[in-house]
């Protein structure tokens, strides 16, 4: 009986068309994802070559002044995307995943953006996470909105009721068939991702899959509740679609508007101004005024001679440092703002399932704001260690040839462990259970009779 | 004609009676207020902040003491992008484009600090602006309100009665389309009022913004678009077998036009015309720059030849005998060449982007949503060309700054280095105030119209097509 119903469902023309459409869209999304990875890989290779070529050329051109040489040299720090990023590109097409820095002031460099076509960013990426978060709910709605009302509208409901025994059993059977089909579709797409992208079979992919499954089940619970209310097909469709518009479009967009207005990041601009003024005004100031704070920041360098008759780069780099030091307060305030945004977004996300799923998927794939923040923090550490490596050589005007330049290859950022997704997905699970339970209660109360409402 | 009026009136009467409309309209008003408020607050905070920062940057520029002009070329300046007042209506790409750029000699910096860079990722769900409400959400509402009109009459047999009384199906479709369009204007009204209030609350609108002209064009385009949407809703309703089929068809159309196609077309655009990433771009620029030579490198071959020819032309043996500062001259030459190379590459890159976007532009002929969105962004000063306009402006200012400083150096700085403990070479600080501040201007309406010609043509064609659509639907739809 179940198998018969299953094959009956699968064989209907509209279902076949829908499944095919989704398969095609899914495969396109996988290609878009893997193209994104290829572009990132190409960027990594380009910067690796660029760094090597620039070091070689400048070392040749400026063989006698370490300080001047270090004005030119740049060092790459790379946030290499996890293959899973192909499935949830998230913010990674906006954020810079490669930092290419000199040992001069950090604040003037680290917010430099890449080159992007803003129209592409505006429309966003059609990646698998978009298919799952935005389009799958529509498929679920299309499958479910009339499972019951159709029988009533076509007059087959009394017949079905007698045959199925219990109305509840009938509806559970119908929904489970659709759930299996949708989950099957998801599974196929994930399997294709393993082949096409390719995404390795690991715990991250498992977390990604579990989150997606939970999200799909959530939408089935929503559908079940609306079905249980027993409106006509048209009204059910409208209600379900309103849910979709509210949860997938309006809700998150409103939260985003609120966050933007609540935490405006004006510190970004003031950081920008302060680091310039902090550095440049030192050219006209008394040199001691620059060196004093520098030695306070780096007492280990106070034994070096900076006021030798020859032009000394120590003063120059101390001026650069002054730019960073004077902008440090604003820079920190800016990062705090971003952290506050992130935290508040997570709070709101508990109430809006697609938002929660989105944040979870991008966190798993390492393409969210959280990881970008980590990367920026870690960039500061990278810049600091590069600086500290070269400062003594600059300050003593060491021999350029004595440095082992071959060791200065791009470094890679390693993210600290991602969050525990099951815990983070709790609200979604709770919502699903509440919706499902409410659906059951309403369904039971209405009994088997089908009366139209509205 | 009279029939059409009666049918339109009937449609409106029935719709006004339903409780659903009241709910939808109430929600709509809330959304309009929300969008208008956030648009207004973003615009005012950001523009106030950016104007203030531009002044602050200027103050610290002017506060510089007497110094060598090349130091000032490195001190540089900033350009902050000011929003067009209509960006309160349509945010366009502004959340994704950078807002501030540091302008200095020798180097073209990126425009930094886009709102998207500070976003938690929620931005990807879209934004709620007045334009999104009108262009994206209102069609969905109209489809909701219009899908059953003719289809339900078909289902319950009333259509047969109406037609048997001598009214043509064409009149039925015309009447309902008109009714739905009037309804859409009622939805548009609060949006127009909100936008008007947004503008009126500004103490001052930029004179070159042509807010009223642009605003009226926007209104016209939106109304034309809503007419097209209304006729599509009614025609689909009339040609479907039942209201359920009509609803599904309309939802499919909406999903395809508003969500799936815009994304897919941009993906196609960037796949067909691949653009280099930042480091590929930098490598290519550097390769060409190296061919010119390095104006800072005294041993550079190109600049050595340049020096010889300059000395020869002035019948001098050494640069000390030249009537101008040679360092300034050499840097002016270097700046000119490097800016040329860089701008050529940047132009190439932006032309690639424009080609990527052209696919969307021409897609307006198959998708009026994209057309209206492009026109709306352009009129609101929030599209790609508006951004490019800013960047060109900023780069022109940067170049002027660098060259002015180089020329000051040529004119006022001696070719002989000062003795060791002597005062370093410098010029008076009055030169800093004499150099004008960065001023941003908006594009002319004419330039925008030219850029958006395909989209405008597409919307006009859609408008005309809607009448043909009514005619053919009336002729071919089965009534029974």
């Amino acid at each position: 009986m179940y198998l018969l119903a299953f094959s009956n469902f699968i064989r209907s023309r509209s279902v076949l068309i829908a499944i095919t459409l989704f398969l095609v869209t899914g495969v396109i999304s996988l290609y878009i994802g893997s193209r994104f990875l290829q572009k990132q890989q190409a960027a990594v290779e380009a910067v690796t070559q660029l760094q090597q070529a620039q070091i070689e050329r400048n070392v040749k051109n400026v063989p006698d002044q370490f300080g001047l040489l270090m004005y030119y040299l740049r060092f790459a720090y790379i946030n290499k995307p996890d293959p899973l990023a192909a499935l949830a590109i998230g913010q990674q097409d906006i954020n810079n995943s490669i930092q290419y820095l000199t040992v001069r002031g950090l604040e003037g460099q680290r917010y430099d953006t890449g080159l992007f076509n803003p129209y592409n960013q505006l429309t966003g990426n059609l990646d698998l996470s978009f298919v799952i978060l935005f389009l799958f709910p529509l498929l679920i709605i299309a499958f479910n909105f009339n499972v019951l009302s159709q029988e009533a509208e076509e007059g087959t409901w009394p017949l079905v009721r007698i045959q199925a025994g219990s109305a509840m059993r009938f509806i559970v059977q119908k929904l489970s068939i659709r759930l299996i089909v949708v989950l099957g579709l998801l599974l196929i797409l994930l399997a294709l991702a393993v082949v096409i992208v390719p995404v390795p079979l690991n715990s991250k992919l498992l977390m990604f899959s579990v989150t997606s499954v939970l999200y799909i089940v959530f939408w089935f619970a929503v559908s079940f509740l609306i079905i249980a209310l027993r409106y006509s097909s048209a009204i059910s469709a409208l209600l379900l679609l309103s849910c979709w518009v509210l949860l997938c479009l309006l809700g998150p967009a409103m939260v985003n508007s609120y966050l933007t207005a609540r935490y405006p990041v004006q510190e970004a601009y003031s950081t920008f101004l302060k680091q310039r003024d902090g550095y440049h005004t030192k050219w006209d100031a008394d040199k001691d005024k620059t060196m004093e704070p520098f030695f306070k920041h780096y007492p280990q360098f106070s034994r070096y001679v900076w006021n030798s008759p020859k032009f000394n780069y120590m003063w120059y780099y101390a001026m650069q440092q002054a730019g960073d030091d004077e902008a440090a307060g604003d820079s920190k305030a800016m990062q705090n703002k971003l952290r506050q945004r992130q935290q508040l977004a997570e709070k709101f996300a508990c109430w809006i399932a697609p938002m929660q799923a989105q944040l979870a998927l991008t966190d798993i794939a390492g393409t969210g704001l959280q990881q970008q923040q980590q990367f920026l923090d870690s960039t500061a550490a990278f810049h600091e260690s590069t600086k500290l490596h070269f400062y003594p050589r600059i300050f003593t005007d060491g021999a350029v040839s004595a440095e082992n330049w071959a060791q200065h290859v791009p470094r890679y950022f390693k993210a600290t462990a991602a969050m525990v997704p099951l815990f983070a997905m709790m609200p979604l699970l709770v919502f699903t259970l509440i919706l499902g339970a409410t659906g059951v209660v309403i369904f039971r109360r209405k009994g088997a009779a089908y009366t139209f409402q509205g | 004609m009279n029939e059409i009026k009666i049918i339109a009136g009937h449609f409106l009467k029935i719709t006004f009676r339903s409780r659903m409309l009241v709910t939808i309209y109430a929600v709509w008003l809330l959304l309009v207020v929300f969008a208008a408020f956030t648009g207004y607050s973003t615009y005012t905070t950001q523009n106030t902040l950016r104007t203030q920062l531009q002044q602050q940057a200027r103050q610290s520029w002017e506060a510089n003491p007497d110094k060598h002009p090349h130091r000032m070329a490195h001190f540089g300046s900033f350009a902050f992008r000011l929003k067009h007042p209509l960006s309160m209506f349509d945010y366009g790409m502004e959340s994704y484009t950078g807002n501030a750029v540091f302008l200095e000699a020798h180097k073209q910096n990126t425009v930094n600090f886009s709102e998207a860079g500070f976003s938690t990722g929620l931005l990807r769900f879209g934004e709620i602006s007045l334009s999104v409400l009108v262009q994206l959400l209102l069609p969905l509402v109209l489809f909701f309100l219009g899908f059953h009109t003719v289809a339900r009459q078909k289902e319950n047999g009333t259509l047969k009665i109406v037609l048997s009384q001598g009214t043509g199906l064409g009149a039925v479709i015309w009447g309902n389309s008109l009714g739905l369009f009037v309804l859409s204007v009622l939805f548009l009204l609060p949006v127009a009022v909100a936008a008007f209030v947004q503008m009126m609350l500004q103490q001052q609108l930029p004179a070159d913004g042509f807010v009223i002209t642009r605003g009226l064009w926007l209104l016209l385009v939106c109304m034309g678009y809503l007419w097209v949407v209304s006729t599509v809703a009614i025609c689909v309703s009339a040609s479907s077998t039942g209201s359920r089929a009509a609803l599904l068809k309309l939802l499919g159309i909406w999903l395809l036009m508003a969500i799936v196609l815009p994304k897919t077309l941009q993906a196609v655009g960037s796949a067909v015309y691949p653009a280099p990433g930042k480091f590929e771009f930098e490598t290519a620029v550097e390769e060409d720059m190296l061919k010119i030579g390095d104006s800072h490198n005294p041993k550079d071959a190109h600049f050595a030849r340049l020096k010889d020819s300059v000395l020869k032309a002035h019948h001098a043996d050494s640069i000390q005998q030249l009537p101008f500062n040679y360092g300034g001259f050499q840097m002016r030459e270097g700046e000119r060449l490097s800016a040329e190379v860089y701008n050529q590459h940047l132009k190439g890159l932006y032309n690639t982007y424009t080609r990527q976007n052209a696919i969307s532009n021409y897609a307006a002929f198959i998708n009026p949503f994209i057309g209206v969105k492009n026109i709306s962004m352009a009129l609101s000063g929030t599209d790609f060309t508006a951004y490019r306009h800013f960047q060109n402006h900023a780069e022109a200012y940067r170049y002027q700054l660098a060259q002015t400083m180089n020329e000051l150096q040529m004119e006022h700085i001696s070719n002989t280095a000062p003795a060791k403990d002597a005062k370093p070479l410098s010029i008076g600080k009055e030169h800093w105030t004499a150099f004008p501040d960065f001023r941003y201007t908006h594009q002319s309406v004419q330039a925008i119209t030219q850029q958006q010609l395909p989209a405008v043509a597409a919307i006009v064609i859609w408008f005309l097509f809607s009448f043909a659509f009514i005619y053919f639907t009336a002729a071919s739809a089965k009534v029974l």
Side-chain angles (χ1 to χ4, degrees):
Chain A
M1 177 66 194
Y2 191 81
L3 276 178
L4 200 67
F6 190 89
S7 68
N8 191 26
F9 174 70
I10 278 282
R11 276 198 201 138
S12 89
R13 202 169 66 104
S14 55
V15 170
L16 270 180
I17 291 174
I19 291 176
T20 320
L21 264 177
F22 266 75
L23 273 178
V24 171
T25 317
V27 169
I28 291 173
S29 80
L30 293 177
Y31 275 105
I32 288 175
S34 63
R35 238 182 72 84
F36 166 78
L37 280 189
Q38 283 160 13
K39 272 200 92 164
Q40 297 268 313
Q41 184 56 38
V44 169
E45 278 156 23
V47 79
T48 308
Q49 279 177 13
L50 191 64
Q51 175 171 341
Q52 197 193 352
Q54 284 181 337
I55 288 180
E56 269 172 26
R57 193 178 60 245
N58 285 305
V59 164
K60 210 171 78 195
N61 285 350
V62 194
D64 45 2
Q65 275 181 293
F66 217 109
L68 181 61
L69 175 65
M70 293 314 292
Y71 176 90
Y72 293 110
L73 292 191
R74 295 166 78 189
F75 304 91
Y77 189 56
I78 300 169
N79 177 11
K80 201 171 178 203
D82 189 281
L84 210 55
L87 307 191
I89 296 172
Q91 289 284 89
Q92 216 52 31
D93 62 329
I94 289 170
N95 293 327
N96 220 355
S97 54
I98 299 176
Q99 297 275 8
Y100 192 39
L101 308 167
T102 69
V103 292
R104 287 179 274 153
L106 173 67
E107 298 296 342
Q109 311 177 61
R110 72 160 143 174
Y111 303 110
D112 280 358
T113 56
L115 298 167
F116 308 114
N117 179 355
Y119 206 148
N120 291 347
Q121 297 188 325
L122 173 67
T123 55
N125 295 298
L126 186 89
D127 57 6
L128 190 64
S129 77
F130 176 81
V131 174
I132 294 170
L133 294 173
F134 266 71
L135 303 182
F136 265 52
L138 288 169
L139 183 71
I140 295 166
I141 290 172
F143 278 175
N144 292 339
F145 79 99
N146 64 352
V147 279
L148 223 66
S149 51
Q150 190 185 23
E151 305 282 354
E153 279 154 14
E154 288 171 359
T156 44
W157 180 236
L159 202 74
V160 169
R161 241 175 65 205
I162 294 162
Q163 282 184 343
S166 128
M168 188 62 143
R169 228 181 78 194
F170 172 74
I171 188 85
V172 166
Q173 188 190 57
K174 273 203 137 179
L175 286 183
S176 66
I177 288 170
R178 284 153 177 80
L179 181 64
I180 289 170
V181 171
V182 174
L183 290 181
L185 193 61
L186 175 75
L187 206 70
I188 292 173
L189 287 176
L190 287 171
L192 284 174
V194 174
V195 179
I196 292 175
V197 175
V199 176
L201 283 164
N202 57 17
S203 61
K204 277 187 179 175
L205 182 63
L206 186 69
M207 292 199 287
F208 190 96
S209 313
V210 169
T211 309
S212 307
V213 169
L214 256 174
Y215 180 70
I216 286 170
V217 173
F218 166 81
W219 276 101
F220 269 89
V222 173
S223 309
F224 177 59
L225 180 65
I226 301 288
I227 292 165
L229 291 173
R230 308 217 192 158
Y231 287 105
S232 67
S233 296
I235 301 276
S236 303
L238 290 188
L239 282 176
L240 282 169
L241 213 76
S242 303
C243 287
W244 182 80
V245 168
L246 196 73
L247 292 176
C248 285
L249 295 177
L250 297 181
M254 286 173 97
V255 171
N256 187 54
S257 294
Y258 174 72
L259 289 180
T260 311
R262 174 90 163 71
Y263 299 113
V265 197
Q266 67 265 42
E267 289 85 354
Y269 303 115
S270 45
T271 306
F272 212 28
L273 283 179
K274 279 200 181 150
Q275 71 80 24
R276 174 192 73 163
D277 290 2
Y279 154 63
H280 275 281
T281 52
K282 301 295 176 293
W283 282 94
D284 312 307
D286 190 19
K287 291 186 179 180
D288 284 316
K289 284 238 168 63
T290 309
M291 298 315 293
E292 240 168 68
F294 182 74
F295 289 139
K296 215 164 153 192
H297 190 153
Y298 296 112
Q300 69 268 41
F301 296 126
S302 42
R303 58 193 171 85
Y304 291 93
V305 187
W306 63 274
N307 43 4
S308 62
K310 206 176 134 200
F311 177 75
N312 192 302
Y313 277 94
M314 192 166 181
W315 174 55
Y316 175 79
Y317 286 98
M319 287 197 290
Q320 289 283 348
Q321 185 63 46
D324 273 0
D325 286 347
E326 283 173 33
D330 289 66
S331 177
K332 195 158 263 160
M334 168 179 145
Q335 282 156 29
N336 275 339
K337 277 263 175 75
L338 295 186
R339 234 156 247 141
Q340 280 168 324
R341 275 190 178 188
Q342 176 78 15
Q343 280 162 4
L344 198 58
E346 273 161 19
K347 268 184 204 150
F348 275 114
C350 295
W351 302 96
I352 303 176
M355 242 175 99
Q356 201 190 353
Q358 151 102 340
L359 290 178
L361 291 185
T362 50
D363 276 346
I364 295 168
T367 54
L369 182 63
Q370 198 178 324
Q371 179 150 339
Q372 182 63 17
Q373 284 280 98
Q374 275 183 27
F375 177 57
L376 279 179
D377 288 348
S378 182
T379 298
F382 166 76
H383 184 257
E384 190 66 21
S385 75
T386 314
K387 228 164 56 178
L388 292 180
H389 173 82
F390 285 111
Y391 269 175
R393 291 159 174 80
I394 296 168
F395 301 161
T396 55
D397 200 11
V400 169
S401 54
E403 178 70 16
N404 174 16
W405 292 106
Q407 69 173 330
H408 296 291
V409 290
R411 301 263 184 269
Y412 290 88
F413 162 70
K414 270 195 193 65
T416 50
M419 47 139 207
V420 190
L422 278 180
F423 172 74
M425 294 307 285
M426 268 316 264
L428 187 56
L429 198 64
V430 170
F431 263 111
T432 309
L433 290 175
I434 290 175
L435 285 171
T438 318
V440 170
V441 170
I442 293 178
F443 196 89
R444 285 255 158 83
R445 190 176 298 161
K446 298 232 170 193
Y450 202 98
T451 44
F452 278 124
Q453 301 191 5
Chain B
M1 201 57 217
N2 213 15
E3 285 168 346
I4 295 176
K5 234 188 261 172
I6 292 171
I7 294 170
H10 179 72
F11 167 80
L12 288 172
K13 210 156 73 186
I14 290 187
T15 316
F16 285 146
R17 231 187 268 152
S18 77
R19 249 189 324 164
M20 201 157 76
L21 183 73
V22 180
T23 322
I24 293 177
Y25 204 75
V27 174
W28 176 258
L29 286 180
L30 281 178
L31 287 172
V32 168
V33 169
F34 178 83
F37 183 75
T38 41
Y40 175 81
S41 96
T42 312
Y43 173 82
T44 35
T45 4
Q46 286 298 323
N47 266 16
T48 316
L49 179 69
R50 290 178 202 173
T51 315
Q52 202 185 320
L53 288 163
Q54 189 78 57
Q55 283 162 359
Q56 203 178 318
R58 179 66 184 180
Q59 276 161 13
S60 55
W61 164 269
E62 288 182 0
N64 275 291
D66 297 355
K67 62 166 87 173
H68 193 289
H70 194 60
R71 283 260 56 78
M72 283 304 274
H74 276 284
F75 186 84
S77 186
F78 292 90
F80 290 91
R81 193 163 57 86
L82 287 182
K83 286 169 173 283
H84 189 279
L86 282 171
S87 69
M88 287 187 267
F89 171 77
D90 192 337
Y91 306 164
M93 302 173 187
E94 293 225 309
S95 296
Y96 297 92
T97 49
N99 297 312
V101 56
F102 178 47
L103 309 169
E104 57 178 327
H106 318 307
K107 191 167 175 258
Q108 287 83 351
N109 290 307
T110 52
V111 187
N112 292 346
F113 304 122
S114 70
E115 193 50 55
F118 302 136
S119 163
T120 47
L122 292 181
L123 191 58
R124 283 309 166 77
F125 286 98
E127 290 174 289
I128 302 199
S129 63
L130 291 173
S131 73
V132 167
L133 292 183
V134 173
Q135 294 155 18
L136 184 87
L137 206 61
L138 188 51
L140 194 61
V141 173
L142 293 179
F143 286 173
F144 276 179
L145 295 173
F147 77 94
H148 58 76
T149 48
V150 189
R152 187 178 285 169
Q153 281 187 314
K154 232 188 230 184
E155 279 171 335
N156 58 24
T158 44
L159 187 62
K160 266 188 274 183
I161 299 170
V162 172
L163 294 185
S164 65
Q165 285 170 340
T167 311
L169 186 59
V172 173
I173 297 174
W174 262 107
N176 281 303
S177 299
L178 211 61
L180 192 59
F181 176 65
V182 170
L183 201 62
S184 76
V185 172
L186 289 181
F187 276 89
L188 185 62
L189 196 69
V191 176
V193 170
F196 184 73
V197 171
Q198 283 179 332
M199 301 302 140
M200 285 302 109
L201 284 176
Q202 298 305 314
Q203 285 170 340
Q204 203 187 355
L205 293 171
D208 65 344
F210 294 103
V211 175
I212 294 173
T213 321
R214 287 173 178 229
L216 288 177
W217 275 112
L218 260 176
L219 192 65
L220 192 71
V221 170
C222 284
M223 283 175 71
Y225 172 68
L226 291 176
W227 166 255
V228 173
V229 172
S230 304
T231 53
V232 167
I234 304 299
C235 288
V236 169
S237 180
S239 61
S240 300
T241 45
S243 50
R244 206 183 69 134
L247 179 65
L248 287 183
K249 265 188 227 167
L250 286 170
L251 292 182
I253 290 174
W254 181 81
L255 188 68
L256 189 72
M257 297 290 183
I259 309 277
V260 177
L261 261 186
K263 257 184 210 290
T264 323
L265 289 172
Q266 273 313 118
V268 170
S270 47
V272 175
Y273 302 107
K278 189 182 184 184
F279 298 103
E280 289 97 316
F281 181 82
E282 274 187 21
T283 310
V285 170
E286 198 175 75
E287 261 170 31
D288 282 355
M289 294 277 193
L290 287 173
K291 281 181 205 151
I292 301 172
D294 179 358
S295 65
H296 271 67
N297 182 1
K299 287 176 280 185
D300 184 85
H302 172 88
F303 287 97
R305 271 200 308 279
L306 179 75
K307 186 167 147 188
D308 291 342
S309 65
V310 169
L311 290 177
K312 214 168 173 186
H314 285 86
H315 309 291
D317 306 324
S318 70
I319 52 170
Q320 273 75 20
Q321 294 168 5
L322 288 173
F324 52 81
N325 176 281
Y326 183 74
F329 172 81
Q330 174 168 310
M331 276 188 294
R332 188 179 72 170
E333 185 66 5
E335 188 71 56
R336 184 179 68 78
L337 291 169
S338 66
E340 218 167 73
V341 167
Y342 185 88
N343 287 331
Q344 211 171 356
H345 278 272
L346 193 69
K347 203 172 152 194
L349 179 75
Y350 278 5
N351 286 343
T352 308
Y353 289 166
T354 306
R355 271 196 289 276
Q356 294 180 346
N357 300 345
I359 293 191
S360 289
N361 283 337
Y362 285 104
F365 288 101
I366 54 161
N367 184 350
F369 170 76
I370 292 183
V372 81
K373 193 173 103 178
N374 285 343
I375 296 175
S376 161
M377 288 195 297
L379 286 170
S380 304
T382 54
D383 68 339
F384 179 61
T385 47
Y387 175 70
R388 198 171 167 174
H389 181 72
F390 165 77
Q391 208 168 17
N392 289 340
H393 240 69
E395 166 58 18
Y397 182 80
R398 185 200 72 78
Y399 185 72
Q400 198 196 347
L401 186 147
Q403 296 304 53
T404 308
M405 293 305 129
N406 286 334
E407 275 152 24
L408 286 172
Q409 180 174 348
M410 284 173 67
E411 207 175 315
H412 300 292
I413 298 289
S414 159
N415 272 319
T416 324
K420 228 180 161 169
D421 295 312
K423 188 172 166 284
L425 295 170
S426 67
I427 64 171
K429 61 183 178 186
E430 67 279 3
H431 292 286
W432 319 150
T433 34
F435 184 74
D437 193 9
F438 175 74
R439 281 192 75 83
Y440 180 58
T441 56
H442 296 287
Q443 290 192 101
S444 69
V445 178
Q446 202 191 351
I448 293 169
T449 321
Q450 263 166 19
Q451 289 151 14
Q452 291 301 323
L453 224 47
V456 172
I459 291 296
V460 170
I461 288 176
W462 272 98
F463 186 71
L464 298 175
F465 180 70
S466 68
F467 300 107
F469 198 31
I470 293 178
Y471 178 79
F472 286 115
T473 312
S476 64
K478 291 189 187 73
V479 179
L480 304 176

